[in-house]
């Protein structure tokens, strides 16, 4: 099929490359000419495992191309809207200016029968408004939210848990759902659930999924606070809870909390939309989820300050990690970098290292010290803080090796990802989050 993908950020670039790998003829469109040039030359503008291979294959096959001309969307059977919906400046609501601009530019190129499939995360009610705007073209709007995780984006796009497609309950809507089923035919044939809903439900599924995940993380981080006050161990607690299949162990990783370009801004946008709908109280708990999450960053900083005897001024601190999570170079609302910035603000001599995110971090926070090599960051450190659980730190760094490099054997494990017994046995003062 012929597809256009409008917006080539994390979501759109991966979607375009993945759809081409399924055999579709895809044009990816973005207003950012630098991003287009990078993608067109086969180089991913951000770190995402497997994306470069998919880009190379797609470009070589001739089934994938990138452009900044919206006119090139003309003739596609499906136009996927994959532009960003960041937090609005000065508020909590989603900023829909890129969605609106994309529709404005696309409108003149739509033909009767075209399907416009929204993938961006939007406040409920947005799709109905967009459907009304394209009505005159006799194209049909459906909402097809995306649940991919950064670092697993290719995997999640090609083998998702489920497809959700929201459409109007009329003949055009039914036909459009059929078109989407055809786009995803291989995964659907392999048994991936394909749920058809109305537009509002499809929009809500995405917001609710991210709200649930954020709540689960903040729940275990709230338990970490109780564990700290009572002498319990939140990691053992999470293991024990996780064996209950009704609860499950995933997203019960206590630590410095969630960040990134999605969960934080999505729970805020969700709450802001609920307020607009007059149902703010229904999701009032999301405010608590947000504050618990942010409190864990304070806690990590406090652990470092306490471990260093109450003062970090002039002390050298190795910060392992800058990305908001491993397998990503994304530093948007990264708890890891936030901890580094706060320690720097207290006068510490902070040296940050990360396998993928140093360039992004250095551009955003030039006041921090950086080391490309992990061992260079560790050298002569008075304390070590692990804030992103990359394998290089979690699995490959032995306490003996680190111990030979540092000045002080103090480690704060902001992700509860180390074997505390092994580090203690090697003479380290180990501090976890919510752990004994
Ligand atoms: C999240 C969702 O997981 C995706 O399903 C969704 O499609 C995506 O947002 C989006 O809306 O685009 P992502 O932001 O890539 O994906 O990151 P996650 O893997 O969910 O992690 C989010 C944050 O939570 C990270 O900072 C991670 O370190 C933290 N986290 C995760 C924890 O602190 N504890 C956990 O147990 C799990």
């Amino acid at each position: 099929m012929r597809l256009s993908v409008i917006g080539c950020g994390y979501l759109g670039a991966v979607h375009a490359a993945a759809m081409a790998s399924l055999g579709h003829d895809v044009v990816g469109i973005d207003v950012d000419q630098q991003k287009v040039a990078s993608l067109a030359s086969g180089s991913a503008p951000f770190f995402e495992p497997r994306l470069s291979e998919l880009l190379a294959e797609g470009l070589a096959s001739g089934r994938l191309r990138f452009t900044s001309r919206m006119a090139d969307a003309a003739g596609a059977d499906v136009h996927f809207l994959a532009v960003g919906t960041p937090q609005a400046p000065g508020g909590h609501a989603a900023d829909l200016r890129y969605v609106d601009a994309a529709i404005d530019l696309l409108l003149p190129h739509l033909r009767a029968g075209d399907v416009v499939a929204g993938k961006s995360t939007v406040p409920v009610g947005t799709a109905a408004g967009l459907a009304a705007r394209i009505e005159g073209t006799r194209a049909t709007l459906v909402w097809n939210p995306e649940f991919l995780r950064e670092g697993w984006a290719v995997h999640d796009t090609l083998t998702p848990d489920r497809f959700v497609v929201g459409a109007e309950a009329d003949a055009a809507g039914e036909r459009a759902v059929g078109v989407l089923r055809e786009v995803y035919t291989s995964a659907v044939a392999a048994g991936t659930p394909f749920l058809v809903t109305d537009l509002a439900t499809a929009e809500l599924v995405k917001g609710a999924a991210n709200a649930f995940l954020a709540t689960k993380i903040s729940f275990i981080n709230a338990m970490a606070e109780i564990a700290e006050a009572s002498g319990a161990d939140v990691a053992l607690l999470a293991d024990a809870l996780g064996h209950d299949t009704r609860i499950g162990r995933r997203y019960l990783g206590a630590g410095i909390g969630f960040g990134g370009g999605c969960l934080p801004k999505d729970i805020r946008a969700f709450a802001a939309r609920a307020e607009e709908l007059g149902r703010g109280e229904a999701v009032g708990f999301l405010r608590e989820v947000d504050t618990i999450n942010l409190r864990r960053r304070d806690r990590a900083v406090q652990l470092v300050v306490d471990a260093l005897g109450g003062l970090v001024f002039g002390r050298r601190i190795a910060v392992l990690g800058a990305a908001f999570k491993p397998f990503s170079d994304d530093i948007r609302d990264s708890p890891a970098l936030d901890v580094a910035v706060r320690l720097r603000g207290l006068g510490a001599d902070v040296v940050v290292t990360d396998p993928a995110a140093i360039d992004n971090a250095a551009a955003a926070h030039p006041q921090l010290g950086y080391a490309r090599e992990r061992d260079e960051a560790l050298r002569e450190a008075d304390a070590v803080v692990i804030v992103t659980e990359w394998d290089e730190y979690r699995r490959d760094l032995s306490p003996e090796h680190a111990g030979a490099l540092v000045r002080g054997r103090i480690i704060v494990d902001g992700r509860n990802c180390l074997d505390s017994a092994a580090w203690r046995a090697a003479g380290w003062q180990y501090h976890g989050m919510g752990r004994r």
Side-chain angles (χ1 to χ4, degrees):
M1 298 173 78
R2 295 186 62 187
L3 312 177
S4 81
V5 179
I6 300 156
C8 293
Y10 279 96
L11 169 57
V14 175
H15 193 69
M19 292 303 105
S21 82
L22 294 177
H24 299 302
D25 185 359
V26 185
V27 57
I29 303 170
D30 201 290
V31 289
D32 181 340
Q33 304 210 352
Q34 226 179 324
K35 198 182 283 176
V36 166
S38 165
L39 289 164
S41 70
S43 138
F46 47 84
F47 179 95
E48 187 60 52
R50 288 177 62 195
L51 179 57
S52 297
E53 291 144 60
L54 237 60
L55 283 173
E57 275 167 38
L59 293 165
S61 71
R63 284 194 306 271
L64 178 64
R65 65 202 168 89
F66 292 94
T67 171
S68 50
R69 284 188 310 268
M70 188 63 93
D72 290 5
D77 305 301
V78 184
H79 307 276
F80 287 100
L81 273 185
V83 293
T85 52
Q87 189 172 328
H92 276 185
D95 183 348
L96 295 177
R97 79 177 79 171
Y98 305 112
V99 175
D100 287 332
I103 287 286
D104 284 343
L105 290 171
L106 179 62
L107 260 176
H109 307 294
L110 289 175
R111 305 164 306 178
D114 281 5
V115 175
V116 178
K119 294 200 83 65
S120 308
T121 301
V122 292
V124 61
T126 306
L130 297 179
R133 280 178 61 193
I134 68 166
E135 206 173 3
T137 64
R138 291 197 289 127
T140 309
L141 186 105
V142 296
W143 213 258
N144 172 218
E146 179 60 58
F147 305 100
L148 67 80
R149 295 158 299 167
E150 288 179 22
W152 297 88
V154 171
H155 169 273
D156 290 351
T157 305
L158 290 172
T159 48
D161 296 333
R162 76 296 207 187
F163 294 103
V164 175
V165 180
E168 308 264 26
D170 55 18
E174 256 171 51
R175 186 190 152 270
V177 169
V179 172
L180 269 255
R181 212 187 283 274
E182 214 179 312
V183 171
Y184 300 127
T185 189
S186 49
V188 174
T192 309
F194 189 95
L195 287 90
V196 179
T197 70
D198 52 88
L199 289 173
T201 304
E203 291 169 302
L204 262 186
V205 171
K206 175 61 196 253
N210 277 1
F212 187 86
L213 294 172
T215 304
K216 201 170 175 190
I217 298 168
S218 277
F219 174 83
I220 201 63
N221 279 329
M223 294 304 109
E225 293 190 23
I226 305 299
E228 275 153 15
S230 60
D233 186 312
V234 77
L236 296 175
L237 174 74
D239 289 344
L241 289 176
H243 283 295
D244 184 331
T245 51
R246 293 170 303 172
I247 298 175
R249 182 64 173 82
R250 294 176 78 191
Y251 282 77
L252 284 186
I256 56 169
F258 60 80
C262 302
L263 297 193
K265 65 116 176 142
D266 285 353
I267 59 170
R268 291 172 195 157
F270 199 76
R273 182 64 182 136
E275 289 282 351
E276 285 169 10
L277 293 168
R279 293 290 189 278
E281 73 276 15
V283 289
F285 67 93
L286 288 179
R287 248 183 267 281
E288 210 52 51
V289 165
D290 212 340
T291 40
I292 292 166
N293 189 53
L294 295 174
R295 218 156 46 218
R296 299 317 283 164
R297 304 177 185 188
D298 300 337
R299 174 68 186 159
V301 171
Q302 195 58 46
L303 280 174
V304 180
V305 173
D306 290 348
L308 284 171
L311 198 64
V312 294
F313 192 89
R315 308 299 293 278
R316 185 176 161 99
I317 300 174
V319 175
L320 306 187
F324 84 107
K325 65 173 192 179
F327 305 109
S328 171
D329 64 357
D330 196 345
I331 56 152
R332 286 177 294 172
D333 201 355
S334 167
L337 256 188
D338 200 12
V339 167
V341 167
R342 289 180 197 209
L343 287 168
R344 174 69 190 155
L346 295 173
D349 180 3
V350 170
V351 184
V352 178
T353 187
D354 189 286
I358 290 282
D359 292 340
N360 287 343
H365 298 288
Q367 79 275 29
L368 302 176
Y370 293 96
R372 294 225 170 252
E373 297 302 324
R374 180 197 67 192
D375 288 2
E376 196 187 324
L378 289 170
R379 195 157 288 125
E380 298 298 312
D382 293 303
V384 181
V385 194
I386 167 159
V387 276
T388 312
E389 67 277 35
W390 285 98
D391 288 345
E392 284 85 338
Y393 318 139
R394 182 185 63 81
R395 187 192 63 195
D396 304 340
L397 178 62
S398 78
E400 293 77 19
H401 178 80
L405 293 168
V406 299
R407 190 157 44 207
R409 293 190 176 197
I410 294 173
I411 187 145
V412 172
D413 182 1
R415 293 293 183 180
N416 288 345
C417 59
L418 301 176
D419 178 351
S420 57
W423 283 75
R424 287 199 173 113
W428 285 78
Q429 201 189 106
Y430 171 93
H431 303 274
M433 304 284 294
R435 305 189 74 182
R436 287 169 70 87

